[in-house]
């Protein structure tokens, strides 16, 4: 299988902070790839560079043979994404959020409607399609975001902590859905998570990133063997240490707090 | 391109039509100004030989509704960037200029509708336009003003990423632009400094345009007003669009 994601010596610095320090990896088409790492390791920053939201400081990226810096629109057509932070319009209904996405991706009306109905049924929110998103539970919002990310038949889906705050039932259901998609459409899945069992169970390849560098990668079994640990969780702790990452109260955290206080 | 502008515009309008509480809430301030200033200062204004203050004030209060609604709509992007669906639109394979234009004109349309609601409100307070024929052109001036400030709000939001920045914008840009604009006082017989400030304040031209059309009492003249508004609007649309194409996360 050819590699659909190819990353070489990718770096990103924010002022004096080196968020990503020259990482290289590749993901074969149709594979499921997990990106694990403690808070602030550089996972989201990497995803943002892969998805044209952030320009790399240096290094090269190829997504389905396109360079995000040179041909962003070609890259944008290739992937769907579920962001770490919420990205739905809460004052629109589930259906309208899907419609907006479909129109932006230039999907014709007939196809769009059929595909939206199908996907809403797939994530089991078709009975709530005309409710405002602000009335949804966290799990429903997440499922809607996943459905939306799949609407334009992307070749790759990026999922940045997709199961954060979801109950085990919903998590399992989500992965069943994604497994079905892999079989049916051969979609490539690139995800981050803090649940080790999730990565172990679903990913063929796991890369562990810490302080902006990939410290180990391979199958779950490889990582356990390398560290001589029973579980991926222990292997992870062995590789990344036991320190809790200090994340200063940045402007971003402040904004997150304001956001919560606004009750959205 | 047009499809993108259209869908972004439509979403803004849909949301506005649903937020009844927001519409009603935004009427509080205009009512207060019409009551406290329109009625409160009316006697003094009249005694000074300036005619009816309510007539003079009404276009200013409409201008106030427009500037606040449109700038807040633009500045909303500070949140939207992180928690809203803005980043979703920025990874879509569409022109970012189209997204910027759709949002600007959506926000401007919403602000113009607010302006029209306040206009109806001023009628209830006893305002009467000197000719009904000019109400439609006055609404066009409202839309022009609203577009200018929506584009301005979005441009500012593209530079500001946190709440402190937002407070700064509110206190050092929006409030002064409103109070120095001649929305509340005539621009004749004022100290030079104030006159200079009013002359460089875009809102002055929006309010003046409405005064020209609604009470036939312009200061700069409608041709100047429209020219200045258009020029500044295009400037902010350009800067905002440019910033939007460079927006990162
Ligand atoms: N826009 C930014 N400006 C400055 N620093 C940033 C910015 N975005 C991220 N960083 C910093 O880069 C580092 C990596 O952040 P990133 O969000 O990629 O971590 P992460 O692995 O996704 O963590 P988490 O598990 O908490 O989501 C952190 O130190 C963070 O503070
Ligand atoms: Mg992250």
């Amino acid at each position: 299988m050819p590699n659909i994601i190819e990353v070489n010596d990718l770096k990103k610095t924010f002022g004096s902070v080196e968020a990503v320090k020259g990482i290289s990896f590749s993901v074969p088409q149709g594979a499921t790839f997990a990106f694990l790492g403690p808070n602030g390791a550089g996972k989201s920053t990497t995803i943002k560079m892969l998805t044209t939201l952030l320009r790399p400081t240096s290094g090269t990226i190829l997504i389905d043979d396109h360079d995000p810096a040179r041909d962003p629109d070609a890259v944008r057509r290739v992937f769907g994404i579920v962001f770490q932070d919420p990205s739905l319009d809460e004052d629109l209904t589930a259906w309208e959020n899907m419609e907006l996405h479909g129109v932006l991706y230039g999907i014709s009306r007939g196809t769009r409607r059929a595909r939206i109905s199908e996907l809403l049924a797939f994530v089991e929110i078709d009975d709530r399609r005309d409710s405002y998103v602000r009335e949804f539970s966290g799990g429903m919002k997440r499922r809607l975001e996943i459905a939306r990310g799949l609407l334009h038949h992307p070749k790759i889906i990026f999922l940045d902590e997709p199961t954060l705050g979801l109950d085990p039932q919903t998590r399992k259901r989500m992965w069943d859905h994604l497994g079905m998609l892999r079989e049916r459409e051969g979609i490539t899945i690139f995800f981050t998570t803090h649940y080790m069992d999730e990565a172990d169970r679903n990913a063929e390849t796991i890369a562990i990133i810490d302080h902006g560098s990939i410290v180990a990668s391979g199958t779950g079994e490889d990582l356990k063997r390398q560290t001589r640990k029973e579980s991926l969780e222990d292997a992870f702790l062995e590789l990344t240490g036991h320190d809790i990452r200090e994340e200063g109260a940045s402007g971003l955290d402040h904004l997150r707090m304001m956001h919560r206080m606004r009750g959205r | 391109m047009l499809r993108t502008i259209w869908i972004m515009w439509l979403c803004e309008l849909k949301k506005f039509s649903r937020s009844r509480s927001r519409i009603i809430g935004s009427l509080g301030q205009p009512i207060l100004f019409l009551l406290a200033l329109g009625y409160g200062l009316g006697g003094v204004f009249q005694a000074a030989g300036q005619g009816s203050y309510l007539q003079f004030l009404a276009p200013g209060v409409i201008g106030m509704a427009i500037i606040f609604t449109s700038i807040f709509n633009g500045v909303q992007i500070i949140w939207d960037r992180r928690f809203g669906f803005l980043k979703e639109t920025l990874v879509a394979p569409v022109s970012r200029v189209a997204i910027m234009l759709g949002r600007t004109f959506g926000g401007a349309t919403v602000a113009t509708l607010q302006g029209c609601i306040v206009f109806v409100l001023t009628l209830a307070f006893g305002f009467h336009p000197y000719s009904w024929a000019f109400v439609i052109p006055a609404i066009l001036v409202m839309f022009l003003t609203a577009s200018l400030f929506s584009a301005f709000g979005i441009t500012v939001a593209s530079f500001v990423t946190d709440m402190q920045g937002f407070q700064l914008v509110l206190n050092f840009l929006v409030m002064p632009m409103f109070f120095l604009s001649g929305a509340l006082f005539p621009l004749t017989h004022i100290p030079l400094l104030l006159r200079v400030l009013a002359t460089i304040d875009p809102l002055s031209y929006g309010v003046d345009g409405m005064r020209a059309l609604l009470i036939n009492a312009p200061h700069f003249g409608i041709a100047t007003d429209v020219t200045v508004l258009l020029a500044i609007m295009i400037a902010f649309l350009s800067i905002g669009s440019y910033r939007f194409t460079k927006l990162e996360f």
Side-chain angles (χ1 to χ4, degrees), chain A residues 12 48 51-55 73 76-77 79 81 83 85-89 91-93 96 100-101 103-106 132 148 251-252 254-256 258-259 262 264, chain B residues 3-4 7-8 11-12 14-15 18 22 76 78-80 82-96 99 161-164 245-249:
Chain A
K12 181 72 197 180
K48 286 174 192 168
T51 56
T52 75
L53 283 174
L54 208 55
R55 259 182 304 279
D73 280 353
R76 287 170 185 156
R77 268 185 282 272
F79 70 83
I81 184 168
F83 298 96
D85 288 310
S87 66
L88 294 163
D89 196 317
D91 298 322
L92 295 176
T93 64
E96 286 166 341
L100 177 63
H101 184 93
V103 173
L104 289 177
Y105 281 77
Y132 293 120
R148 184 181 64 179
L252 202 122
H254 185 72
L255 208 67
R256 274 208 178 106
M258 288 299 298
H259 177 72
R262 289 206 326 165
R264 274 176 154 229
Chain B
R3 196 187 52 211
T4 307
I7 189 82
M8 296 298 292
C11 281
E12 291 296 315
K14 272 188 185 160
K15 290 192 276 181
R18 287 167 190 172
R22 201 175 92 192
Q76 181 77 25
I78 298 175
W79 280 283
D80 239 22
R82 260 217 94 70
F83 305 109
F85 82 134
L86 183 74
K87 55 184 177 297
E88 148 76 10
T89 63
L90 294 187
V91 292
V94 292
S95 144
R96 288 199 176 176
I99 292 170
T161 50
D162 57 12
M163 277 312 295
Q164 288 92 331
T245 57
K246 300 280 170 221
L247 215 56
E248 294 201 327
F249 284 81

Side-chain angles (χ1 to χ4, degrees), chain A residues 12-15 17-20 35-48 54 84 160-161 192-194 209 212 246-248 250 252 256, chain B residues 82 248-249:
Chain A
K12 181 72 197 180
T13 48
F14 297 103
V17 180
E18 282 187 84
V20 176
F35 218 34
L36 304 184
N39 290 136
K43 304 181 294 294
S44 298
T45 305
T46 304
I47 290 190
K48 286 174 192 168
L54 208 55
Q84 184 171 355
D160 198 352
E161 297 190 30
T192 75
T193 183
H194 289 299
I209 180 172
E246 294 285 340
E247 280 280 328
S250 58
L252 202 122
R256 274 208 178 106
Chain B
R82 260 217 94 70
E248 294 201 327
F249 284 81

